[in-house]
Amino acid sequence: MPELPDVEHARRCLERWLLHKTLARVAASKTRLLRGSSVAALESLQGRRIENVRRHGKWLLVAFDGRQGLALHLGMTGRLSLERSRDPVRWSRAQLETAEGTRVHFQDPRMFGRLAAGSLARLRHELGLDQLGPDVWDEPPSAKVLGSALAHRRRAVKDLLMDQTVLAGLGNIQATEALWKARIHPARRAASLRLDEVRALIAAIRWTLARTLKSMGTPGDTTAAPPGSKAVFRVYGRAGETCPRCRTRLETMRIGGRQSAFCPKCQQAWRKRRR
DNA sequence: AAGTCTGTTAGGAT
DNA sequence: TATCCTAACAGACT
């Protein structure tokens, strides 16, 4: 699940569960710590109050008093959940417990997630937040800015959209959906996009992010679709089904090792750059 | 039921 | 430098 909408949802959950609370206990068993961090650093957060919960791209950053921080990446299968007394929590790799007894689990079956604690300044450096591109939801680039980021790049546009140093937050699903919405073939060379196409792409990115975010509802809303439910997506994972726009049979191809669904009619590969 | 697929990213090869 | 590929891991699906 964890692309921008999922991480933003997780952020809102954390805010609801932890904001202004005191962290009484933190434990990390099998979670991989970020290089340069340690369990001792995690434990030094105990007794501190949570001041805010921010997100940049797919990273979560929890700020504590004393300029300390906890950084979290959900990796490919990570999720945050509130412990309820009923069923046991599977794949819990780390636990955060407030003085009031609220217990938050970091569940991560595949263990691609990351956790780190330390001074906020040091974390920002270690995480390479300065290496990340602008957050695609909070600070979307203008067509001109994105256009120049794509110019002179030979890689497939989809591959670049998922490059976190260009734009922070998009993953395979959101990039697939946005390109379909913007009617751009995923394998197009990034440099071949015209300015009007870049403009359409930015609008399409907002469209898919807003749509996915909305489908997840607000934290605690049990009527919303469970995160990652396929129903929201128009083309992702739907190769062989028909295009919702033109009824053409959707196809899929591999780009940068990732499966990329597209509509062969709406998303033409051979539009060449107009000079 | 063995084989294939999977939402990420770091790091090494080309 | 830019791009491409694979490993890290464990489960779901066909």
Side-chain angles (χ1 to χ4, degrees):
Chain A
M1 293 154 261
E3 295 187 35
L4 188 146
D6 313 87
V7 180
E8 174 60 19
H9 189 256
R11 189 195 69 76
R12 293 172 188 176
C13 289
L14 274 188
E15 210 169 60
R16 181 193 178 106
W17 298 332
L18 301 179
L19 190 61
H20 304 320
K21 301 288 195 319
T22 298
L23 187 69
R25 203 179 66 89
V26 56
S29 49
K30 292 173 75 179
T31 294
R32 318 170 137 224
L33 299 175
L34 213 64
R35 195 176 48 200
S37 190
S38 63
V39 173
L42 278 175
E43 288 173 347
S44 75
L45 295 174
Q46 290 171 167
R48 294 188 182 275
R49 270 169 59 91
I50 288 108
E51 293 188 333
N52 62 59
V53 185
R54 301 227 164 95
R55 181 188 57 73
H56 187 34
K58 300 170 189 172
W59 279 101
L60 285 171
L61 208 47
V62 183
F64 291 77
D65 60 78
R67 298 180 182 189
Q68 297 300 296
L70 174 68
L72 240 140
H73 195 293
L74 300 178
M76 205 142 110
T77 54
R79 53 170 297 192
L80 298 171
S81 64
L82 203 56
E83 180 174 314
R84 313 197 183 277
S85 46
R86 308 179 177 173
D87 29 36
V89 185
R90 301 175 75 190
W91 312 300
S92 177
R93 311 301 191 190
Q95 305 82 38
L96 306 172
E97 193 177 326
T98 69
E100 293 84 355
T102 301
R103 198 176 316 178
V104 176
H105 288 262
F106 177 36
Q107 297 170 277
D108 186 17
R110 284 179 76 178
M111 295 201 291
F112 289 175
R114 290 288 191 286
L115 210 59
S119 86
L120 277 170
R122 198 179 66 77
L123 281 176
R124 272 186 234 284
H125 179 68
E126 297 272 329
L127 267 48
L129 283 191
D130 40 347
Q131 313 275 66
L132 287 181
D135 184 89
V136 71
W137 180 250
D138 292 333
E139 15 171 7
S142 66
K144 202 174 165 186
V145 167
L146 182 58
S148 57
L150 300 184
H152 313 301
R153 302 289 228 124
R154 308 190 68 248
R155 289 161 68 190
V157 58
K158 171 157 178 286
D159 204 21
L160 269 189
L161 287 182
M162 295 191 296
D163 185 331
Q164 304 299 299
T165 65
V166 174
L167 278 180
L170 298 181
N172 197 30
I173 295 178
Q174 298 299 322
T176 296
E177 294 287 299
L179 287 165
W180 173 79
K181 182 67 173 177
R183 302 174 191 249
I184 297 170
H185 193 286
R188 287 268 302 276
R189 306 260 190 204
S192 78
L193 266 62
R194 288 175 270 112
L195 190 62
D196 63 294
E197 292 178 307
V198 175
R199 201 173 293 126
L201 185 53
I202 291 169
I205 289 170
R206 283 208 83 69
W207 170 82
T208 180
L209 291 176
R211 208 176 129 76
T212 310
L213 216 36
K214 191 177 173 190
S215 79
M216 295 185 300
T218 50
D221 178 3
T222 48
T223 64
S229 93
K230 289 280 192 294
V232 224
F233 307 126
R234 311 316 284 145
V235 293
Y236 171 80
R238 295 188 185 278
E241 298 180 33
T242 57
C243 171
R245 231 169 8 214
C246 74
R247 300 285 152 213
T248 302
R249 191 181 190 79
L250 297 171
E251 295 177 8
T252 184
M253 67 184 298
R254 225 173 164 76
I255 298 173
R258 319 297 299 280
Q259 222 39 250
S260 308
F262 67 100
C263 171
K265 189 176 173 197
C266 299
Q267 299 166 268
Q268 307 259 321
W270 33 260
R271 275 199 212 168
K272 290 290 191 289
R273 165 154 55 163
R274 199 178 61 189
R275 298 200 22 94

